[in-house]
Amino acid sequence: MTGAGGFIGWHLTNALKARGHWVRGVDIKAPEYGPSAADEFELLDLRRWDACLLATRGGVEEVYALAADMGGMGFISANHAQILHNNALIDIHTLEAARQQGVRRYLYTSSACIYPEYRQTEAQVVPLKEEDAYPAQPQDAYGWEKLVSEVLCRHYTEDHGLETRTVRFHNIFGPQGTWEGGREKAPAAMCRKVALAKLTGDPVIEIWGDGEQTRSFCYIDDCVEGLLRLMRSDHREPLNLGQDRMVTINELADLVAAVAGTRIEKRHVPGPQGVRGRNSDNTRLRQVLGWEPAISLEDGLARTYAWVEAQVRAKRAGGAAPLG
Ligand code: NAD
């Protein structure tokens, strides 16, 4: 698995080990919030071709390709050249190395960011179906790179017979995700802001834009279940994986405050917001996997908030953050 030191990779490694698989985890960094359950964990820079050959060596049968230089809107909207350069190298080299090493199945992690900007201009957006991806007009370089790599996977299947699976995530969140430092995404950032409001007694939290932009959010356990099911399926086309309940960022803040049991005052400030509205159409997901994400946003936020608050408390106390 590449990106095994990251948020989704850490959880997916646990799930694969729990099902009895042997796992080699590869990343440019170790997991930040707890040790990896992988049988082998190797620090490799997957922009490099030789590193990708090492990562896929030794009879690896399946690759979950999760490595990417990524973050939330703040990071993605401000680092286009770096993201396109790094992720293109990672994806081109990892896929070709997998082919040369005789890997049988390859799961590529794409993103809802590949969907065209012109379909996401209203907060009350029509949920996005897989075929809505074209004519292409992703908002950021991050989305363009993901889209090209989706196409690369399709051609590797057609030209080389490598079985590829492609998932398009819609805002995955949960414990063990980045919650500070500039790469955190909206749910973790909101949990941190609300936790700080609760712990300091200052109820003001900042929200980028008017907070009426909409998204759907999917809890990590559902994401992992969907990944395992997709890898086993015979579906070769890209597939949405997310929740189809859309909320505004203001509503997200209120839900987190309710979970935290604290009062907040929202201050709307200028900041990157991404597209105005986005939601997942899960029709094909249900057809293909016979399943869809089931953990409610409230449940997921409760579990995530508890973890982020513990991190914030530990940091304020000057100690090491608790694991797990
Ligand atoms: P993450 O940032 O926590 O994990 C990505 C990992 O890739 C990180 O641990 C990072 O160190 C590693 N990486 C970056 N550059 C590397 C390099 N040169 N060599 C080796 N490893 C490198 O992100 P995540 O949320 O776990 O996302 C996993 C995958 O899912 C990514 O491909 C991401 O683009 C995609 N995705 C995630 C979401 C989401 O909501 N979390 C949404 C859409 C797509």
Side-chain angles (χ1 to χ4, degrees):
M1 181 191 312
T2 77
F7 164 52
I8 299 173
W10 187 87
H11 289 274
L12 180 59
T13 302
N14 288 346
L16 288 167
K17 285 307 301 168
R19 286 162 178 76
H21 296 281
W22 184 90
V23 179
R24 175 183 297 137
V26 176
D27 203 296
I28 202 167
K29 67 167 174 64
E32 284 171 52
Y33 308 113
S36 172
D39 297 276
E40 286 178 7
F41 190 92
E42 294 186 5
L43 291 174
L44 292 170
D45 181 349
L46 295 171
R47 289 171 297 184
R48 294 176 55 104
W49 166 244
D50 54 345
C52 291
L53 277 177
L54 282 175
T56 51
R57 76 188 184 281
V60 165
E61 293 177 1
E62 298 181 345
V63 169
Y64 288 88
L66 276 70
D69 192 0
M70 65 96 69
M73 272 320 303
F75 179 76
I76 283 179
S77 61
N79 296 281
H80 297 290
Q82 173 189 327
I83 287 172
L84 181 45
H85 174 265
N86 287 348
N87 292 345
L89 288 175
I90 291 170
D91 288 335
I92 288 171
H93 286 154
T94 309
L95 188 56
E96 172 60 13
R99 182 189 75 81
Q100 289 194 19
Q101 299 283 26
V103 167
R104 289 191 300 106
R105 275 188 187 222
Y106 190 98
L107 189 147
Y108 178 60
T109 50
S110 183
S111 166
C113 290
I114 62 95
Y115 285 112
E117 219 176 335
Y118 59 80
R119 289 191 193 278
Q120 304 172 86
T121 54
E122 306 289 333
Q124 290 309 312
V125 66
V126 176
L128 293 157
K129 290 188 175 65
E130 285 77 356
E131 55 269 31
D132 291 337
Y134 299 95
Q137 192 195 56
Q139 189 177 56
D140 294 308
Y142 173 75
W144 278 108
E145 192 282 331
K146 289 285 188 195
L147 196 59
V148 170
S149 292
E150 285 190 2
V151 175
L152 191 66
C153 285
R154 172 158 55 82
H155 289 305
Y156 266 64
T157 301
E158 291 168 358
D159 295 357
H160 301 305
L162 172 56
E163 284 288 338
T164 58
R165 304 287 177 265
T166 298
V167 68
R168 291 178 185 156
F169 291 139
H170 288 251
N171 298 309
I172 312 303
F173 74 100
Q176 266 87 18
T178 303
W179 58 278
E180 64 169 352
R183 289 186 184 242
E184 64 278 19
K185 308 183 98 190
M190 203 63 82
C191 288
R192 185 197 68 229
K193 290 176 186 180
V194 171
L196 278 169
K198 178 177 169 180
L199 299 176
T200 62
D202 175 0
V204 175
I205 67 162
E206 291 192 342
I207 293 187
W208 290 344
D210 66 2
E212 291 303 306
Q213 61 272 35
T214 53
R215 294 292 186 277
S216 68
F217 297 97
C218 177
Y219 189 65
I220 181 67
D221 290 4
D222 277 334
C223 166
V224 167
E225 178 67 26
L227 286 175
L228 297 171
R229 285 175 180 253
L230 178 60
M231 185 63 123
R232 296 274 67 79
S233 82
D234 56 10
H235 188 73
R236 291 173 169 164
E237 300 300 317
L239 190 67
N240 284 334
L241 178 48
Q243 281 276 9
D244 55 6
R245 171 181 168 196
M246 195 168 68
V247 296
T248 67
I249 298 301
N250 286 328
E251 287 167 342
L252 181 72
D254 291 337
L255 286 169
V256 175
V259 157
T262 195
R263 189 181 67 84
I264 56 166
E265 280 170 30
K266 304 181 199 92
R267 182 193 295 154
H268 294 102
V269 298
Q273 299 167 53
V275 293
R276 188 63 177 160
R278 176 177 292 154
N279 195 8
S280 176
D281 184 317
N282 283 351
T283 309
R284 189 155 307 143
L285 176 73
R286 286 189 287 270
Q287 284 167 357
V288 169
L289 301 187
W291 167 92
E292 69 183 311
I295 299 167
S296 72
L297 184 54
E298 285 80 0
D299 278 1
L301 285 176
R303 298 181 211 181
T304 308
Y305 179 79
W307 182 81
V308 173
E309 190 189 297
Q311 307 300 308
V312 173
R313 280 182 187 278
K315 184 155 189 188
R316 281 167 57 82
L323 300 178

